[in-house]
Amino acid sequence: MDKKDSLWDLFQQKNLSRRTFLKTCVAITGILGLSPAMVPEVVAAAEKKPLVPVIWLHGHECTGCDEAFIRSQSPLASDVVLNMISLEYSDTLAAAAGEPFEHHLADIMKRYAGKYILAVEGAVPLADEGIHCMVGGKTFLAALKEAAKGAAAIIEYGSCAAWGGIQAAKPNPTKSVSISDVLGNSIPIVKVPGCPPIPEVMTGVVMHYALFGQLPPLDSKGRPKQFYGNRIHDTCYRRPFFDSGMFVEKFDDAGSKAGWCLYKVGCRGPEAYNSCGNLRWWNGLSYPIQSGHGCIACGNNNFWDNGPFYERLPNIPVPNTIANADKVGMVAAGVAAAGVTVHGLLSAVQKRSSHSDNSETRRTQA
């Protein structure tokens, strides 16, 4: 088997300093959502761990996940592809094409059997024996099963790969399903849903495996906890408006212009788990809620079929109870009214106390 260089080997080949290497390792630790205490382990892995081979397949999809990936800023997608992994096959990002490229794929699967990461973008159509998606003269279904046999781990990039996506939306004429629906649990799989996923989440997941040789800690749905551990609702900068019962009723009303909570116009933030509220998009520039549109929960299973995007969720689970926007608003209004009343009473008491003190002072002076 060909010997693969480590990240530190590449730094030395390019005459980059040890200081630059260590700074890069510190940055990678932060990007992966790891504790600062993990920096020595990241450095050790980057010094010795050979660059992991990656095969990237495309099925029923729109290539939006590729478009997101190449826009990663921390780390740059170019650094990931050229310096941190060994991307051996991607029929979208590669310069090569045709039969020689397909022969290369077969050679890589044989040479690195059991050691490569299989990244998959897109759903798998099962209807009519899979003929609704053909790549290199093979059905995507056949190509996927063949590549999965020698994979050490599989990354499902995007909601199409993770859940079936828009291809699996009703009535689903091609009988499209997720990657794990086809492959089962025989191989370690991590889901990175989103339509598309956040670029830095995509690069962060593959970097974690490249450094540590294992998938990151996963939640009950198979998603990496460091990126899907919080609800959009809990990291949203508009959350105080929700808690105060201040909601946008129409997209052109005063509340919309003032940046109030978008829950009543369909925001799915209370049921969506993702990193949009803290990582945001395009190097932290913005995300849909910041631009004035509610979250559509694009990382959720069956999000295309989960009702009209501009109808509000019926209720929101809160610890030990269920509250909806109307109740929250009523409570907020009641608290505000009570606050005004208490403030008025305290002001009156303070004024009366001050008046009594002044009167006592005047009697003492007399």
Side-chain angles (χ1 to χ4, degrees):
M1 179 183 294
D2 295 345
K3 181 183 181 299
K4 293 284 186 181
D5 292 324
S6 68
L7 184 59
W8 173 231
D9 291 333
L10 291 177
F11 269 67
Q12 291 177 303
Q13 292 169 17
K14 296 180 180 181
N15 295 319
L16 296 173
S17 69
R18 178 71 177 177
R19 179 182 178 85
T20 301
F21 170 73
L22 293 175
K23 289 171 67 176
T24 300
C25 290
V26 171
I28 290 173
T29 304
I31 292 164
L32 297 181
L34 302 175
S35 164
M38 291 286 290
V39 170
E41 294 185 40
V42 172
V43 172
E47 286 176 331
K48 302 175 182 179
K49 187 77 176 176
L51 302 186
V52 62
V54 176
I55 294 173
W56 192 329
L57 299 182
H58 296 77
H60 248 189
E61 42 87 25
C62 68
T63 318
C65 298
D66 271 301
E67 292 288 346
F69 181 84
I70 62 176
R71 286 166 175 78
S72 175
Q73 296 293 312
S74 301
L76 288 170
S78 57
D79 285 339
V80 174
V81 171
L82 299 176
N83 300 323
M84 298 177 182
I85 63 173
S86 177
L87 183 59
E88 296 289 348
Y89 180 90
S90 171
D91 50 15
T92 302
L93 299 178
E99 284 192 22
F101 196 39
E102 296 304 313
H103 292 321
H104 175 71
L105 171 60
D107 179 57
I108 291 299
M109 289 191 294
K110 181 179 180 180
R111 192 188 312 174
Y112 297 109
K115 297 187 178 297
Y116 60 81
I117 294 176
L118 177 60
V120 188
E121 181 179 342
V124 188
L126 302 180
D128 303 316
E129 299 182 349
I131 64 168
H132 298 283
C133 184
M134 305 282 290
V135 180
K138 299 179 182 177
T139 65
F140 177 59
L141 175 62
L144 172 65
K145 288 182 175 180
E146 182 180 2
K149 289 178 183 177
I154 296 174
I155 302 176
E156 297 177 344
Y157 275 142
S159 290
C160 295
W163 314 119
I166 188 172
Q167 287 74 224
K170 298 175 183 176
N172 192 5
T174 59
K175 300 296 185 289
S176 290
V177 298
S178 71
I179 304 305
S180 51
D181 285 335
V182 173
L183 301 178
N185 299 317
S186 59
I187 303 170
I189 295 178
V190 56
K191 295 180 181 292
V192 186
C195 194
I198 296 172
E200 287 73 20
V201 173
M202 299 180 71
T203 52
V205 170
V206 72
M207 270 303 303
H208 190 285
Y209 191 93
L211 284 172
F212 300 111
Q214 60 184 10
L215 297 177
L218 306 179
D219 65 13
S220 61
K221 296 184 181 296
R223 304 169 299 191
K225 290 182 178 179
Q226 67 260 51
F227 298 120
Y228 295 89
N230 294 310
R231 294 185 303 168
I232 299 296
H233 188 58
D234 297 325
T235 58
C236 181
Y237 73 99
R238 298 185 187 227
R239 175 64 184 269
F241 293 109
F242 173 87
D243 295 335
S244 300
M246 301 167 71
F247 299 99
V248 175
E249 302 286 347
K250 297 186 300 181
F251 281 108
D252 60 349
D253 65 12
S256 177
K257 296 173 183 177
W260 290 3
C261 178
L262 297 162
Y263 167 70
K264 283 193 175 183
V265 288
C267 183
R268 299 309 197 240
E271 66 174 16
Y273 286 81
N274 218 317
S275 293
C276 304
N278 41 21
L279 284 181
R280 308 196 179 188
W281 287 77
W282 318 136
N283 202 23
L285 176 64
S286 185
Y287 72 116
I289 291 175
Q290 188 173 339
S291 70
H293 192 285
C295 169
I296 61 173
C298 69
N300 286 14
N301 192 5
N302 297 323
F303 84 96
W304 286 103
D305 291 326
N306 287 340
F309 290 147
Y310 300 105
E311 287 186 7
R312 55 184 278 191
L313 296 171
N315 49 54
I316 297 176
V318 178
N320 302 319
T321 186
I322 293 179
N324 61 36
D326 296 325
K327 291 181 180 179
V328 169
M330 290 171 63
V331 171
V335 170
V340 170
T341 302
V342 171
H343 177 74
L345 290 173
L346 290 175
S347 297
V349 170
Q350 186 179 22
K351 184 176 180 181
R352 184 168 182 174
S353 176
S354 178
H355 179 72
S356 298
D357 290 344
N358 290 338
S359 298
E360 183 66 28
T361 300
R362 285 196 296 272
R363 284 197 299 270
T364 301
Q365 291 174 345

